[in-house]
Amino acid sequence: MASFRVKGGNHLKGEIIPQGAKNEALQILCAVLLTPEKVTIHKIPNIRDVNKLIELLGDMGVKVTKLGPESYSFQADDVNLDYLETDEFLQKASALRGSVMILGPLLARFGTGKLSKPGGDKIGRRRMDTHFFGFQKLGAKFRYDSKNEIFHIDGKHLKGAYMLLDEASVTGTANIVMAAVLAEGKTTIYNAACEPYLQQLCDMLNRMGAKITGVGSNLLNIEGVEKLGGTEHKMLPDMIEIGSFIGLAAMTQSEITIKDAQIHRLGIIPDTFKRMGIHMEFRGDDIYIPSQKHYEIETFIDGSILTIADAIWPGFTPDLLSIVLVTATQAKGTVLVHQKMFESRLFFVDKLIDMGAQIILCDPHRATVIGLDRKYPLRGIRMTSPDIRAGVSLLIAALSANGTSIIDNIEQIDRGYQFIDQRLNALGAEIERI
């Protein structure tokens, strides 16, 4: 198990380029299974989860060619379906939650799918019902082997259908869309997720020959086609990295420019951080954050305490609530952070309290942060990263703290942030991998 040794108190300065979006990459990579033709993808982040999915595709028989540091070509013209029956496949797939999205393409093109219960962050229950509800509506039949935790799915005769999803699941919508593009007839998905990453997937599939309308809304219509062709695709910058860098700049009193942030695709993320009192300037598609000694959290119009809560897009993404929480510890003012979607995602707050933060954990979903305007800086401690987003929040806390911190289990951070230590060290941080 690797660790970071972090010396706090440095003010960072310079430019940083956000990586390609992890959550988009997991969808886009699975979509290469929908065609025997070559698909070229740019801006692929070099992170553990994405690399493991690329490795899994290669094991399945997809021809993978690395064209550059962030560019690959894929050609799924000789997929080995027998590999799905091996213990190796089940083990590799179960270690990666994003692998669930290979099911839609496998059902659409080959009529069969098999998968162990996926893993991923320990952030609470993340059920699979939406995925399987959609597959069933399209005519797939599945059974769950509870003893071995394996899903077996038969999708030989998928037909379009109307469905109203019980939740606007991003991965669930993506999986159903990929299954429906080759199904017979028309599919209508109501209460579909509409995040920019899903829009990217739909745009890519349309370039491949799919017929998807309503992209960007929660009502998608899909006319099934007989086959899809190849394409070239460039992924968006990771909005979670962008939000993390905004919070980092405020916490460490740093002057940072985030390059090519695709600001028009960030939704309310910039405005939410502005409500935290963080100044920023939009310079074309770059976000410039000046060094700030003080930043003050707004209140609601009637003077009551600001609440920041997660919601489905275009609401505030749950992946950035931990960044908001840690950033608030050194602000002036109070904020209630309400994590609605996952019941275990605030369970890193105890580490921040040990560092000296003034936080009341109200329940598994809500925390009140009392910002004391840097009067009591955080202090360095030893701590463990419980998941990707909490891990980078603890890293931000350590970079702002007095003294040295040790963060254990940084493999969690590596799952979502490529070379984060090297990139921040280039701005003046002191992070040592031990």
Side-chain angles (χ1 to χ4, degrees):
M1 182 184 295
S3 303
F4 281 150
R5 180 186 288 118
V6 184
K7 180 184 176 183
N10 290 5
H11 301 324
L12 314 187
K13 185 172 182 177
E15 298 179 346
I16 193 163
I17 300 172
Q19 69 187 28
K22 172 198 170 185
N23 290 340
E24 178 183 345
L26 298 177
Q27 302 174 31
I28 295 296
L29 290 172
C30 292
V32 306
L33 292 168
L34 286 165
T35 177
E37 297 184 18
K38 183 181 291 186
V39 177
T40 301
I41 305 175
H42 304 289
K43 198 68 177 174
I44 295 178
N46 185 3
I47 55 177
R48 198 186 79 177
D49 280 10
V50 170
N51 292 338
K52 283 189 173 295
L53 181 55
I54 292 173
E55 179 184 326
L56 182 64
L57 291 171
D59 291 339
M60 293 171 63
V62 178
K63 297 180 180 69
V64 180
T65 304
K66 188 169 185 178
L67 306 175
E70 297 180 317
S71 298
Y72 286 78
S73 70
F74 302 86
Q75 189 157 5
D77 58 350
D78 189 21
V79 176
N80 180 13
L81 296 179
D82 292 337
Y83 180 69
L84 304 183
E85 304 300 322
T86 65
D87 291 339
E88 178 183 308
F89 167 75
L90 294 173
Q91 290 170 3
K92 286 189 174 184
S94 65
L96 176 66
R97 185 165 187 86
S99 65
V100 68
M101 284 180 287
I102 69 174
L103 287 180
L106 287 175
L107 293 176
R109 188 167 161 217
F110 303 105
T112 187
K114 183 178 180 180
L115 195 68
S116 291
K117 189 175 181 180
D121 281 339
K122 305 304 181 186
I123 57 175
R125 292 168 292 180
R126 302 171 77 178
R127 59 192 178 87
M128 303 291 298
D129 300 56
T130 303
H131 300 253
F132 292 123
F133 167 81
F135 295 154
Q136 284 180 311
K137 282 285 189 178
L138 294 173
K141 297 177 176 61
F142 78 95
R143 62 183 178 86
Y144 177 54
D145 178 353
S146 58
K147 181 180 179 180
N148 298 305
E149 294 190 319
I150 297 174
F151 298 98
H152 301 264
I153 306 140
D154 178 2
K156 290 185 176 62
H157 304 288
L158 298 185
K159 292 188 177 181
Y162 172 88
M163 61 188 80
L164 173 59
L165 302 187
D166 61 339
E167 63 170 345
S169 163
V170 178
T171 56
T173 302
N175 228 346
I176 296 165
V177 166
M178 288 188 285
V181 289
L182 294 179
E184 179 185 340
K186 180 181 178 180
T187 298
T188 297
I189 307 174
Y190 198 19
N191 195 30
C194 54
E195 273 79 354
Y197 303 146
L198 191 79
Q199 297 175 38
Q200 286 276 98
L201 172 67
C202 291
D203 290 342
M204 172 181 160
L205 293 174
N206 279 342
R207 290 196 305 273
M208 294 168 70
K211 296 180 180 179
I212 307 170
T213 57
V215 178
S217 76
N218 68 348
L219 180 62
L220 296 176
N221 287 294
I222 304 165
E223 289 284 351
V225 296
E226 291 187 0
K227 63 179 181 178
L228 296 177
T231 191
E232 190 166 357
H233 180 79
K234 181 180 179 181
M235 296 196 302
L236 290 175
D238 196 304
M239 67 173 70
I240 313 306
E241 264 213 350
I242 293 168
S244 301
F245 295 148
I246 294 172
L248 168 69
M251 281 283 283
T252 59
Q253 302 178 56
S254 298
E255 181 183 349
I256 294 175
T257 299
I258 305 170
K259 301 292 290 182
D260 190 24
Q262 296 286 305
I263 297 166
H264 66 291
R265 306 298 291 270
L266 294 177
I268 64 170
I269 290 172
D271 287 339
T272 301
F273 282 102
K274 285 179 180 178
R275 300 197 75 178
M276 300 284 292
I278 301 171
H279 299 312
M280 62 187 81
E281 298 174 15
F282 297 157
R283 298 177 173 178
D285 240 353
D286 300 342
I287 301 176
Y288 169 74
I289 303 118
S291 175
Q292 285 183 250
K293 189 172 183 180
H294 303 282
Y295 52 102
E296 184 172 355
I297 299 169
E298 293 181 5
T299 63
F300 285 121
I301 293 173
D302 63 359
S304 57
I305 293 173
L306 180 68
T307 296
I308 296 179
D310 58 342
I312 59 173
W313 188 269
F316 191 69
T317 172
D319 285 342
L320 281 174
L321 275 186
S322 60
I323 305 296
V324 164
L325 191 151
V326 74
T327 304
T329 64
Q330 295 304 300
K332 180 181 179 180
T334 301
V335 63
L336 175 65
V337 175
H338 191 175
Q339 168 63 264
K340 298 177 181 178
M341 296 189 184
F342 303 107
E343 66 266 28
S344 303
R345 223 170 196 175
L346 297 182
F347 286 177
F348 72 103
V349 165
D350 58 325
K351 282 91 169 173
L352 297 178
I353 293 173
D354 289 344
M355 297 178 80
Q358 300 292 299
I359 304 173
I360 301 169
L361 186 59
C362 309
D363 55 45
H365 292 276
R366 296 177 302 159
T368 300
V369 186
I370 303 165
L372 299 178
D373 197 21
R374 300 193 198 276
K375 290 180 181 177
Y376 304 101
L378 301 181
R379 57 181 174 269
I381 64 169
R382 186 164 199 143
M383 47 196 161
T384 298
S385 169
D387 64 69
I388 300 173
R389 307 310 175 188
V392 84
S393 300
L394 295 175
L395 177 60
I396 291 171
L399 287 166
S400 74
N402 285 340
T404 298
S405 298
I406 304 292
I407 305 176
D408 297 319
N409 194 30
I410 60 169
E411 289 83 1
Q412 289 286 354
I413 300 174
D414 289 337
R415 289 177 52 215
Y417 295 82
Q418 66 180 13
F419 311 126
I420 189 66
D421 50 337
Q422 299 174 32
R423 295 160 71 203
L424 295 182
N425 285 344
L427 299 180
E430 293 185 55
I431 306 169
E432 180 185 1
R433 189 176 290 260
I434 57 177

